[in-house]
Amino acid sequence: MQYEQRMYARLKFLELMAELNETSFETFFHDLMCARYPEFLDVRTHGRLGDQGSDGLMLHERKLYACYAPQTVSATEIRKKIDSDLTKALAKRREQFDTFVFVHNDRRGMHPEVATVLSEVECLHPQLRFQQMGTRRLWHECMQLELALAEDVLGCQIPIQPVVHGIGMEDLAPLLRHLREQRKAADPLMPLPAVDPGKLDFNRVQGEAREDLLRGMRHSHLVDEFYAGTIRAVEHDEVAQGFRLYYEQVRREWSDPEDVLWQLEMYVLGNGSVPPRMQRSAWVILAHFFERCDVFEAPPAEWTPSGMGMLA
């Protein structure tokens, strides 16, 4: 897909993730995995047999999938679901899998209880491997599909022509006002170093996230223009500090740079669905704070890249 097509598809995907739960989420998961892998078996419930602890099986990789997508997340119910499905799978399908994959619809990432339970059951069953499959991994699977299959899974036509053009101040202003409203009280900012051309490499920002940041940098000067003036300059620093504090919180929970940027994108956009133009505006803002070094780390003076492309 072209960049604009991928961005449009991602918005539709996130809209689906906000709407799908329980049976509808399981149906989406089956459609996606069947389109992606010919060897995937979409196990359905059948009468008194039930599903025998499985919502899907991958034959060659010997993986068993268990879906959990409630309308309201409950730590207690998460534990019950994993324990119940694993117990049934071990009783009915022990010879059919070596890896147990817990599939969920939480946009924010893995619930702490999921991490705890998977860690506990891995200790109890060292002969098995345990994984989780959330929104990020589901999206990556979508992006491996050919265009026609992706449209079928997402239930929409993905425009061939670009749907997003230039970014103007009128696109950035609502998001910047949103950040102002949710900024956190904090001590004044310490002096920030200038962005280093190897910062993307140093922070291991690759793939789609790197491309999104590079595109955002083309328009990041508009953020400075928005905050031009004495009063707004103070607001700029306050918003930047809020961004930095949230970034530090996210980094304690996620180690993958792409996960961190995913969380920062939602910090800018909020939880509602947005048009493609606004999503692209969000990446302009992310690029701006990335360049200022409010988020991610500047490489030390002695650091040199090895084997990665430098930021042009």
Side-chain angles (χ1 to χ4, degrees):
M1 292 186 192
Q2 298 175 0
Y3 172 77
E4 290 82 3
Q5 290 176 309
R6 191 182 73 241
M7 183 176 61
Y8 181 87
R10 184 175 177 182
L11 288 172
K12 293 299 181 182
F13 170 80
L14 291 176
E15 287 177 4
L16 279 175
M17 290 299 99
E19 297 171 358
L20 299 178
N21 54 70
E22 299 175 350
T23 303
S24 61
F25 175 80
E26 186 176 327
T27 299
F28 169 81
F29 172 71
H30 284 168
D31 291 343
L32 170 59
M33 296 298 283
C34 285
R36 180 83 174 90
Y37 301 101
E39 69 271 23
F40 179 79
L41 304 180
D42 49 333
V43 180
R44 63 182 177 86
T45 301
H46 181 77
R48 297 169 66 180
L49 281 175
D51 59 14
Q52 297 185 333
S54 170
D55 295 311
L57 287 168
M58 191 78 77
L59 291 180
H60 298 169
E61 297 182 16
R62 293 180 55 80
K63 290 185 176 182
L64 180 144
Y65 297 83
C67 292
Y68 181 66
Q71 294 185 22
T72 303
V73 175
S74 163
T76 301
E77 293 302 319
I78 289 174
R79 180 175 291 276
K80 286 182 179 178
K81 172 66 175 176
I82 293 178
D83 288 343
S84 172
D85 281 356
L86 180 58
T87 298
K88 287 189 290 184
L90 289 172
K92 303 291 186 179
R93 299 183 181 275
R94 180 62 196 93
E95 302 304 316
Q96 300 174 15
F97 72 101
D98 298 318
T99 302
F100 181 92
V101 185
F102 186 71
V103 185
H104 61 88
N105 66 336
D106 195 335
R107 281 186 59 186
R108 297 165 297 178
M110 192 185 347
H111 191 285
E113 189 69 15
V114 176
T116 299
V117 176
L118 292 181
S119 177
E120 290 174 353
V121 294
E122 187 170 42
C123 291
L124 293 173
H125 304 279
Q127 75 281 13
L128 295 176
R129 292 186 296 272
F130 292 87
Q131 299 175 356
Q132 66 92 26
M133 189 173 192
T135 303
R136 278 279 311 284
R137 285 190 56 196
L138 292 170
W139 163 247
H140 287 165
E141 295 292 352
C142 276
M143 286 300 93
Q144 302 306 311
L145 298 173
E146 295 180 359
L147 180 60
L149 284 174
E151 290 178 329
D152 186 49
V153 169
L154 295 174
C156 68
Q157 183 177 2
I158 299 173
I160 297 176
Q161 297 299 322
V163 296
V164 178
H165 304 286
I167 297 296
M169 191 65 71
E170 70 278 7
D171 302 304
L172 295 180
L175 296 180
L176 293 168
R177 285 194 293 268
H178 168 72
L179 288 181
R180 179 187 63 207
E181 292 167 2
Q182 68 170 336
R183 68 179 181 265
K184 301 173 176 64
D187 294 333
L189 280 175
M190 63 179 64
L192 295 170
V195 66
D196 187 283
K199 186 178 177 184
L200 287 165
D201 295 336
F202 179 72
N203 288 280
R204 299 180 294 110
V205 179
Q206 296 296 315
E208 291 181 16
R210 188 183 184 100
E211 182 180 351
D212 289 335
L213 276 178
L214 287 172
R215 287 178 179 271
M217 288 175 186
R218 298 175 186 175
H219 304 280
S220 62
H221 63 91
L222 291 174
V223 181
D224 284 313
E225 293 176 17
F226 178 85
Y227 283 122
T230 305
I231 296 177
R232 280 195 165 181
V234 174
E235 179 185 310
H236 192 182
D237 285 347
E238 290 177 343
V239 171
Q241 179 66 6
F243 225 81
R244 179 71 187 184
L245 289 175
Y246 186 74
Y247 162 77
E248 291 174 351
Q249 174 186 332
V250 169
R251 281 305 295 262
R252 289 194 291 269
E253 300 177 12
W254 283 274
S255 59
D256 188 317
E258 195 170 351
D259 284 327
V260 173
L261 284 165
W262 182 282
Q263 296 299 318
L264 291 175
E265 180 188 9
M266 287 194 290
Y267 178 78
V268 176
L269 293 173
N271 293 324
S273 63
V274 298
R277 193 181 186 93
M278 187 168 287
Q279 188 191 36
R280 191 170 182 183
S281 299
W283 279 94
V284 172
I285 293 170
L286 287 175
H288 169 78
F289 288 114
F290 183 91
E291 289 178 293
R292 274 180 43 120
C293 293
D294 295 297
V295 295
F296 289 90
E297 313 308 320
E302 66 277 9
W303 182 83
T304 56
S306 57
M308 291 186 178
M310 294 292 289
L311 173 60

